[in-house]
Amino acid sequence: MRRLPVIAETPLPPLYDAWMREALGAALSPEPESTCSDCAMVAPPDQVGGHGFDPHAKCCTHLPFLPNFLVGRILADEAAGAAHRHGRASVRARIREGIAVSPIGLHAPGPRVMAERVAHEHGEFGRVRSLVCPHFIDRRGGLCGIWEHRNATCTTFFCKHSRGARGDRLWRAIELLLKRVEAALSRHCLMALDFPVEAFARALARHDPPEGDPSRGAELAPDPERHRQLWGAWEGREEALYLACAELVAPLGWSEVLRIGGVEVEARARIARHLLAGMDPREAPEALRAGVFTGVEVGPERTRVATYSRLDPLDLPNALVGALGRFDGRSTRAVVREIAREDGLALDDELIAQLLDFEILVEADTPRRG
Ligand code: SF4
Ligand code: SF4
């Protein structure tokens, strides 16, 4: 999912950036290893269909849920560039198409969610062109037409993390936090606008949980009767409702978002803050053991290993891979000395920190992953 060619100072869209700075007490760092305009996952042309992503799809083989207030922000954004025009047009096309168009937002229809899931399960993520997002622009390395207003999922997905599993955990926590925010605010807008209660109840019954549950029935084609029931007196004025939601949300500060989102949002924010604090460098733990990892590719000198994600492997010297088994819960210092003596390898603090970030080494008392 993503990206404009310039790596922004903040990895978040403006609305979410302001909230997260306040919620977390710090700005989030970009993930420079996810080189989106020159996608890090795209394989050389002769390998497309092999291991890498398709350059005409990248990770944007996803139809994002857009909460009502983000739909309104996209429509209200009058920026003149071609990417913005594409963004507005593609959102209008989803509204016109009328499938899974709800007062809560633009949902991914159940069959679409299932198709994405099947692609993931078969290792086809990033390679199925028929699943490319309608907001994706296939030029200049692949752009996003709604970049400044993308949702929680698109905002927080990175194929690679500078801090490995630690970074992945932080971004997943922020995704869950922003999803809660999106759910709370999209409902708050409808209540603030005094949306007809019967239509509101139908929208909630159909679209809770917010991220399109495939078991909620197929939506393969527009259903005018269902649409009429979902929209009540607002039928035919869908864009006007989305714009009104955007206006309601625009002035909200984090304290108001917290008040509206309640304990769920507060709890998610607390978890994200905790994980962010854990990103600070610290001394290597007293005792370490080797984590669980998979050898993806073994070469004469280096082995490619994957731990938390097959999208983000590390290349390690074979000698180091062989020495990792020495970390068996004994004192870290003693094992580092042993490896220097027996294997001729000098493991400095920086390397140990990276191995910890990627869970190639874990604290000795960490429960084992299956
Ligand atoms: S909304 Fe943008 S970032 Fe998200 S999948 Fe679509 S093109 Fe990619
Ligand atoms: S696959 Fe990674 S590098 Fe490529 S566009 Fe997606 S996040 Fe960016």
Side-chain angles (χ1 to χ4, degrees), residues 40 150 152 176 264 301 306 368:
R150 64 200 189 282
L176 291 176
E264 287 283 357
E301 290 179 10
R368 286 180 189 274

Side-chain angles (χ1 to χ4, degrees), residues 19-95:
W19 290 340
M20 289 303 99
R21 277 174 200 261
E22 231 184 301
L24 306 176
L28 290 157
S29 303
E31 289 285 3
E33 313 295 327
S34 294
T35 53
C36 304
S37 57
D38 180 19
C39 176
M41 286 303 300
V42 167
D46 59 335
Q47 279 182 26
V48 171
H51 297 293
F53 283 9
D54 183 335
H56 304 288
K58 306 200 292 184
C59 54
C60 291
T61 48
H62 172 62
L63 180 62
F65 160 68
L66 294 176
N68 48 26
F69 61 92
L70 287 187
V71 178
R73 285 177 71 84
I74 295 162
L75 295 175
D77 187 336
E78 293 177 340
H84 291 92
R85 285 203 304 278
H86 176 90
R88 290 190 291 272
S90 55
V91 161
R92 288 208 164 95
R94 283 178 75 176
I95 297 172

Side-chain angles (χ1 to χ4, degrees), residues 4-23:
L4 285 176
V6 177
I7 295 182
E9 270 179 29
T10 166
L12 301 182
L15 185 69
Y16 290 177
D17 184 45
W19 290 340
M20 289 303 99
R21 277 174 200 261
E22 231 184 301

Side-chain angles (χ1 to χ4, degrees), residues 1-3 59-64 66 133-137 143-147 150-151 153-155:
M1 283 148 247
R2 36 207 75 165
R3 308 265 187 218
C59 54
C60 291
T61 48
H62 172 62
L63 180 62
L66 294 176
C133 171
H135 313 302
F136 182 75
I137 304 169
L143 308 175
C144 170
I146 60 169
W147 181 247
R150 64 200 189 282
N151 75 355
T153 303
C154 296
T155 292

